[in-house]
Amino acid sequence: SRPLGPTGMRPYFEDFEAPLVGGMVPQAYNVVEAAGGNIAVTDQDAESGGQSLRIVDAAGQVHSYNPHLYFIPAHTGATTRVSFDLKIEADTYLVHEWRDGLQADYNTGPIFTIFESRIYVDGLDAISLPEHQWIHFEVAAGLGTDADGTWSLRVDGPIGNLVAASDLSVRDGAWEELFWLGFVSFATTATEVALDNLVIVNSGFEQ
């Protein structure tokens, strides 16, 4: 049985100001190929401060899911909240996903896709997103005994709220633990997305 009390990854706050330019994401698994894709801190753009993260895709990747980065939070109870800012391009094809395992038989909880400047979420109509402007995302879901098969999503653009949904169904009904949290670029052409102000917090550590 799982241990009681907060477990796994402690509250994580990354504004990419401390990592060296050209470095990857601290405490995350950063997966890139040699075919031109990259994940690197940059000082060329930022939502706040002077640095952010660039996820750069390119044609010719052996695996369509590269480049990608992920964390292993190992959160098994309470509520996990994740927030971050993205700046997308017209060709951005990005998936943000929460899974309960690292193997092929995992279940997916919260998930959304950004493709052709729209966000696609199970249960919602596709919603247009602005290009080349910072967009704020907030995702939350209960875990373990607090899991109820739903999750929430809020998306705010430069001129106001774009999405506010609190009763979205998780992709797989059996999902109730967070052992993989990732950002995956599926683009097959040269494009990039910027990421800033990444926060991963489980409420068990706040009690």
Side-chain angles (χ1 to χ4, degrees):
S1 63
R2 299 290 186 189
L4 298 176
T7 62
M9 184 178 180
R10 302 189 66 83
Y12 179 91
F13 304 90
E14 183 55 73
D15 59 8
F16 303 103
E17 297 303 303
L20 295 176
V21 171
M24 291 186 171
V25 184
Q27 299 183 44
Y29 294 81
N30 300 255
V31 185
V32 299
E33 297 182 11
N38 196 20
I39 298 173
V41 173
T42 178
D43 60 3
Q44 300 302 302
D45 197 4
E47 193 282 329
S48 62
Q51 297 186 170
S52 64
L53 187 79
R54 294 172 68 221
I55 304 173
V56 181
D57 214 327
Q61 304 294 306
V62 174
H63 300 290
S64 62
Y65 51 76
N66 284 331
H68 72 279
L69 66 95
Y70 65 94
F71 296 84
I72 303 178
H75 291 164
T76 60
T79 296
T80 293
R81 301 181 184 278
V82 177
S83 62
F84 49 88
D85 298 296
L86 294 177
K87 182 183 283 189
I88 67 169
E89 297 183 344
D91 293 330
T92 295
Y93 186 178
L94 186 77
V95 174
H96 176 62
E97 181 178 1
W98 299 21
R99 303 175 182 173
D100 64 4
L102 306 178
Q103 306 303 319
D105 60 349
Y106 63 82
N107 294 295
T108 294
I111 182 172
F112 66 76
T113 299
I114 297 173
F115 180 65
E116 295 183 339
S117 302
R118 294 179 177 87
I119 183 170
Y120 294 86
V121 183
D122 294 350
L124 299 179
D125 293 333
I127 298 169
S128 295
L129 298 176
E131 299 168 9
H132 308 292
Q133 300 183 71
W134 287 102
I135 309 166
H136 184 69
F137 296 79
E138 298 178 3
V139 184
L143 303 165
T145 57
D146 290 334
D148 63 1
T150 69
W151 62 288
S152 66
L153 173 66
R154 183 178 177 90
V155 182
D156 290 295
I159 60 173
N161 179 253
L162 298 170
V163 180
S166 59
D167 57 353
L168 299 167
S169 296
V170 297
R171 174 65 61 85
D172 298 313
W175 179 89
E176 60 178 27
E177 296 180 339
L178 181 56
F179 276 84
W180 190 100
L181 186 152
F183 298 83
V184 185
S185 179
F186 282 98
T188 56
T189 58
T191 187
E192 65 180 68
V193 59
L195 170 68
D196 206 356
N197 303 317
L198 175 59
V199 177
I200 305 170
V201 176
N202 182 269
S203 62
F205 289 99
E206 301 172 340
Q207 297 171 1

